[in-house]
Amino acid sequence: MQINYQYIGQRIRQERLRNRLSQEQLAELTESSPQYISHIETARKKASLEMILKIANSLDVSVDQLIADNLTSNQYKGDVELSRLFIGCTHYERRIILEIATATRYILEEYRWIMNVNKS
């Protein structure tokens, strides 16, 4: 399996911009150079696991959020996307999202039960 460093670089850039950080600021946070950050974002250089961890910590994201496009399991990618919903949310907003998700699951289970009863 090949690691797609282009996807990782794009994800790092997205998260850096979402955090309103320049390449210079991210470089300072990760004790690297702005040129190295640029090379990682454009996949001209392959970031080490240690550097990906430093970047993830600096951007306040998980490593799996940065490498998710390399994962082969669609379920896991969905988990990453769901966890992204909570980024930047207050405790109250997280609680509302969780309650909406719980209600949605309940409705889906009820719908499944009704469909099974109607098939009988």
Side-chain angles (χ1 to χ4, degrees):
M1 178 178 144
Q2 291 281 358
I3 296 174
N4 191 326
Y5 286 94
Q6 190 141 18
Y7 286 146
I8 294 171
Q10 289 170 356
R11 187 76 70 182
I12 289 170
R13 182 176 188 279
Q14 288 171 349
E15 293 299 328
R16 177 179 59 77
L17 294 174
R18 188 185 61 75
N19 281 281
R20 295 187 173 105
L21 292 174
S22 66
Q23 289 179 338
E24 292 78 13
Q25 291 168 316
L26 182 57
E28 188 175 314
L29 291 169
T30 59
E31 301 172 340
S32 63
S33 71
Q35 294 80 15
Y36 186 56
I37 297 297
S38 174
H39 289 315
I40 290 171
E41 289 183 357
T42 57
R44 286 182 286 198
K45 298 256 181 177
K46 297 176 181 178
S48 67
L49 180 57
E50 181 181 357
M51 179 52 73
I52 291 173
L53 185 59
K54 282 183 179 182
I55 291 170
N57 286 331
S58 297
L59 296 174
D60 195 29
V61 297
S62 63
V63 171
D64 59 324
Q65 286 177 275
L66 297 180
I67 66 169
D69 292 321
N70 284 287
L71 301 173
T72 56
S73 168
N74 288 335
Q75 180 181 4
Y76 193 69
K77 287 181 186 179
D79 292 345
V80 171
E81 293 301 317
L82 283 172
S83 69
R84 283 191 183 154
L85 290 174
F86 291 107
I87 296 173
C89 291
T90 65
H91 177 73
Y92 175 74
E93 291 166 337
R94 288 177 184 202
R95 186 69 199 149
I96 289 176
I97 292 170
L98 182 59
E99 287 180 17
I100 291 169
T102 302
T104 302
R105 179 163 182 188
Y106 175 77
I107 290 167
L108 289 171
E109 288 172 357
E110 286 294 310
Y111 178 76
R112 208 174 304 133
W113 182 81
I114 290 170
M115 293 304 292
N116 287 333
V117 168
N118 288 339
K119 286 181 183 177
S120 303

